[in-house]
Amino acid sequence: MSNQESIRATSTQIQGAGLGLRIPHIKHILSTEPDIPWFELQADNWLYAGGLTATLRSAICERYPVVLHGVGLSLGATDALDWDYLKAIKVLIKDTGAHWYSEHASFSKHQGRHVPDLLPLPYTEEAIRHLSERIMQVQDFLAQPLLLENVSSYIQYEDSDMDEGTFFSTVVKESGCDVLLDLNNLYVSAYNHGIDAEHFLQQLPAKSVKQIHLAGYSQQDEFLIDTHGSRVSEPVWDLYKTFLQVYESVPAMIEWDNNLPGFSRLNIERQKIVAMQSHIKPSVLPREVY
Amino acid sequence: MALRSLQEIQTSLLADIFNAQPDTLQSHIVPIDSAHTRLHVYRNNIQQSFLKTLHRAFPICVMALGARFDVIAKESIALNISDIADLNLYGDFFAGFLSDYRVNSSAEARPLPDFIADLAEAEYALLQCYYAEDSRVFDFSKFSDLSEQAQGEIKLILTPKMQLLKSSWPLSELLNDVSFAAENDIQQSEGGHYFCVHRSEMKAEVIEIPRQSYKALKALSHGVTLHQFSSDTATRESVAALGQWISRGWVAEMAAC
């Protein structure tokens, strides 16, 4: 069995409805050990860590299966890949026993400057080639498939010569990566650009979707902003229902970062995923719908 | 429109985000009539993210400066875009920025507390110690196995979980209670205060240490051998303290010359 097949086989431990682990909740989680099937760790918060951070990380990983989610790799940048960062990610994957690692189809670093945001790429042939090659380099280095996440966006470039769905699905096919489908990002971008979110879903290679993010957005003037600061927004739940009506369920989770509620409140939100995963089954084959 | 490379597109977007002139946008964003408003979402996201990071890194400075903290922090952010992905360590410039800001403020502006830059430096040192990697525990038996001559030739390596600071201000009191400054009308100390910022187990803390210990620990950090350390008049009286520093975890390991 190859490394990549081995990783895919062990990933069956990640199923059902999980949660994004947030530091203010850790004490509660370790003292009560709630029945959560898995947690997603924000990789960048747990890198280079000693002392309390390392101790808490170990305590969580001894009790729960985890996956890693990064924001610092800047996959789509034209600056060179940061191999020191990737080495640290590789160590973190080993130390945490993470079942997979995900990153974004975006760039954050340019000409040595790093911004704390996920900037969109133009949808061009050059960007497809560039992003696919970088993903393959990362996958080779980590010896496991990467999950690529679609980002929310507020701008579109005149340079783009295809839609986001075509761009994203082509990158997935060319690089052989898997997909972390963020339905909140998808809805926010679709709203901001006046396009159809379901059209993006139609273009995705269905079997490549391994994880789903759900979150809340906020409205600012005429735009939706990906704030992760509230309950999952209703149109995002609707999009999730649409996904479940067509595809087999994959691990899904709530991302909540700002205005973070207590753990119990967050877990109630997670229960909605559990209910939907139990009650909504694919009723039509993807090709009949799309 | 002429085809632009991916690199050119990324350069123009960053230029538009950081140089917010609505009439000179380079990034070819469509629709053009809302391009400036759309770019503003990114400007705001980036600024708020850095600001939140500075709040987390400098909580005592936030208490000391009140609402002025955000005004000053935003000015500093505009000049200091990070060159690393790890936001946990963003803010290395902030003490220096506060120092310059205090000096360059107009005469009409309410002055910043004199101690603010040193306080920020101490908070950043705490942050670095908190996130520093765990170091090894000093191996006494390995040291004892060495001959007396070999012992004299080794260098003691300080833990990355520790930093040394000096200041004219009683920083440990200020970090514990910033209102201490207002209530006690603190004055600059001519002799200065000396500190060891250190993470012991789970918590980073600032400990005031004697000037002699500061100089001796500095000497170790500069790589003097044990023989030099015990011969030099500036450090030899601290030989007796070495055992205590090792047991506190300040000395992590030894290295042969």
Side-chain angles (χ1 to χ4, degrees):
Chain A
M1 188 184 281
S2 72
N3 259 342
Q4 298 208 354
E5 284 167 342
S6 166
I7 294 290
R8 284 189 161 114
T10 59
S11 298
T12 53
Q13 285 184 34
I14 304 294
Q15 289 183 337
L19 281 174
L21 180 71
R22 299 298 179 257
I23 287 167
H25 292 153
I26 290 180
K27 194 176 166 191
H28 174 84
I29 293 167
L30 292 178
S31 60
T32 62
E33 299 197 5
D35 186 17
I36 309 293
W38 54 277
F39 282 102
E40 180 191 83
L41 271 57
Q42 293 173 321
D44 301 78
N45 286 343
W46 301 96
L47 290 172
Y48 319 113
L52 181 60
T53 317
T55 305
L56 293 176
R57 185 183 71 195
S58 300
I60 288 289
C61 297
E62 281 164 11
R63 290 163 175 79
Y64 295 96
V66 300
V67 298
L68 292 177
H69 184 50
V71 294
L73 185 55
S74 195
L75 262 176
T78 50
D79 279 18
L81 269 174
D82 185 343
W83 291 102
D84 287 340
Y85 177 87
L86 263 175
K87 282 176 197 163
I89 289 286
K90 192 169 185 172
V91 170
L92 188 64
I93 291 171
K94 182 171 173 284
D95 289 351
T96 57
H99 290 266
W100 60 67
Y101 162 63
S102 56
E103 252 293 354
H104 300 84
S106 63
F107 77 102
S108 309
K109 188 178 181 187
H110 187 64
Q111 295 174 339
R113 293 197 298 183
H114 219 294
V115 295
D117 206 350
L118 301 162
L119 304 175
L121 296 167
Y123 307 136
T124 62
E125 293 294 340
E126 185 198 359
I128 286 175
R129 279 196 309 277
H130 180 73
L131 184 57
S132 302
E133 280 167 18
R134 303 251 291 193
I135 291 169
M136 287 189 279
Q137 284 180 290
V138 171
Q139 293 182 143
D140 284 348
F141 180 74
L142 298 178
Q144 65 181 76
L146 176 87
L147 270 64
L148 185 68
E149 180 181 342
N150 57 303
V151 294
S152 54
S153 70
Y154 313 99
I155 58 165
Q156 287 189 306
Y157 303 94
E158 195 179 5
D159 310 74
S160 293
D161 45 28
M162 66 190 83
D163 62 26
E164 186 189 5
T166 306
F167 173 81
F168 193 84
S169 58
T170 308
V171 169
V172 171
K173 285 174 197 158
E174 292 202 359
S175 66
C177 71
D178 289 326
V179 174
L180 194 177
L181 175 62
D182 190 313
L183 291 174
N184 181 58
N185 288 351
L186 177 56
Y187 185 78
V188 164
S189 295
Y191 182 94
N192 289 337
H193 305 311
I195 55 177
D196 180 9
E198 289 190 26
H199 183 63
F200 180 98
L201 291 180
Q202 291 166 23
Q203 292 159 289
L204 272 183
K207 286 188 175 171
S208 65
V209 181
K210 302 296 181 199
Q211 186 187 344
I212 288 179
H213 274 173
L214 299 158
Y217 56 72
S218 60
Q219 178 106 32
Q220 184 180 304
D221 302 323
E222 68 265 46
F223 305 119
L224 296 185
I225 312 291
D226 173 28
T227 45
H228 296 185
S230 60
R231 296 186 305 171
V232 176
S233 308
E234 281 308 317
V236 177
W237 283 127
D238 290 343
L239 210 47
Y240 185 47
K241 285 176 199 162
T242 303
F243 180 89
L244 289 172
Q245 283 161 359
V246 180
Y247 298 111
E248 288 297 329
S249 178
V250 297
M253 55 158 271
I254 308 285
E255 273 192 309
W256 198 325
D257 294 287
N258 297 306
N259 309 316
L260 187 68
F263 184 81
S264 304
R265 175 73 195 80
L266 186 63
N267 200 17
I268 289 170
E269 196 73 353
R270 188 190 70 87
Q271 296 292 345
K272 293 183 190 170
I273 302 179
V274 176
M276 284 188 192
Q277 287 179 337
S278 311
H279 295 111
I280 306 173
K281 299 293 175 193
S283 53
V284 281
L285 293 170
R287 64 176 176 274
E288 290 181 75
V289 175
Y290 298 135
Chain B
M1 185 185 72
L3 275 178
R4 297 189 305 163
S5 71
L6 182 59
Q7 187 170 30
E8 287 170 325
I9 293 168
Q10 294 187 353
T11 302
S12 65
L13 179 65
L14 265 296
D16 284 347
I17 287 173
F18 290 114
N19 306 308
Q21 300 301 320
D23 301 333
T24 58
L25 295 181
Q26 305 167 33
S27 47
H28 300 196
I29 288 166
V30 286
I32 187 68
D33 54 350
S34 61
H36 188 63
T37 321
R38 288 169 183 272
L39 283 165
H40 188 68
V41 176
Y42 289 104
R43 288 184 197 117
N44 189 53
N45 281 353
I46 291 166
Q47 187 185 62
Q48 288 304 315
S49 182
F50 279 135
L51 185 61
K52 198 171 156 185
T53 303
L54 292 183
H55 268 254
R56 237 182 359 239
F58 301 99
I60 311 297
C61 289
V62 172
M63 287 166 68
L65 295 176
R68 291 181 79 189
F69 182 91
D70 282 11
V71 176
I72 297 167
K74 283 177 185 174
E75 281 187 42
S76 79
I77 289 164
L79 299 172
N80 292 282
I81 301 304
S82 182
D83 57 359
I84 54 167
D86 187 2
L87 268 187
N88 288 326
L89 295 179
Y90 180 69
D92 56 340
F93 57 87
F94 196 57
F97 185 87
L98 285 171
S99 178
D100 294 343
Y101 190 94
R102 209 175 63 77
V103 172
N104 299 329
S105 293
S106 65
E108 303 83 56
R110 188 159 49 91
L112 298 184
D114 292 339
F115 57 77
I116 196 70
D118 285 13
L119 185 62
E121 192 182 359
E123 287 204 274
Y124 191 72
L126 280 167
L127 188 75
Q128 286 183 300
C129 292
Y130 181 81
Y131 283 111
E133 287 183 37
D134 289 330
S135 52
R136 293 181 193 166
V137 177
F138 188 83
D139 188 345
F140 267 113
S141 62
K142 212 166 150 189
F143 180 76
S144 306
D145 289 345
L146 297 173
S147 67
E148 199 171 321
Q149 187 185 350
Q151 285 181 350
E153 287 169 2
I154 65 156
K155 294 174 178 180
L156 297 180
I157 313 291
L158 299 181
T159 173
K161 300 183 297 183
M162 186 187 90
Q163 297 208 13
L164 297 164
L165 288 180
K166 66 177 176 183
S167 170
S168 307
W169 305 98
L171 296 178
S172 11
E173 279 93 341
L174 291 169
L175 287 163
N176 281 334
D177 178 10
V178 77
S179 63
F180 177 87
E183 289 164 9
N184 294 279
D185 187 26
I186 60 166
Q187 300 293 322
Q188 266 183 305
S189 154
E190 280 186 19
H193 297 268
Y194 298 85
F195 304 96
C196 170
V197 186
H198 175 242
R199 187 185 79 221
S200 55
E201 296 298 320
M202 302 299 178
K203 192 183 170 202
E205 58 189 349
V206 176
I207 304 162
E208 185 151 3
I209 56 176
R211 178 168 177 266
Q212 190 184 337
S213 299
Y214 174 88
K215 290 181 93 171
L217 285 162
K218 270 283 180 196
L220 290 180
S221 74
H222 291 143
V224 298
T225 63
L226 264 187
H227 175 70
Q228 290 166 328
F229 189 83
S230 55
S231 318
D232 192 313
T233 51
T235 54
R236 68 183 177 206
E237 286 181 27
S238 297
V239 169
L242 279 176
Q244 190 194 9
W245 296 344
I246 289 170
S247 64
R248 293 180 102 166
W250 294 1
V251 177
E253 50 192 313
M254 57 186 179
C257 288

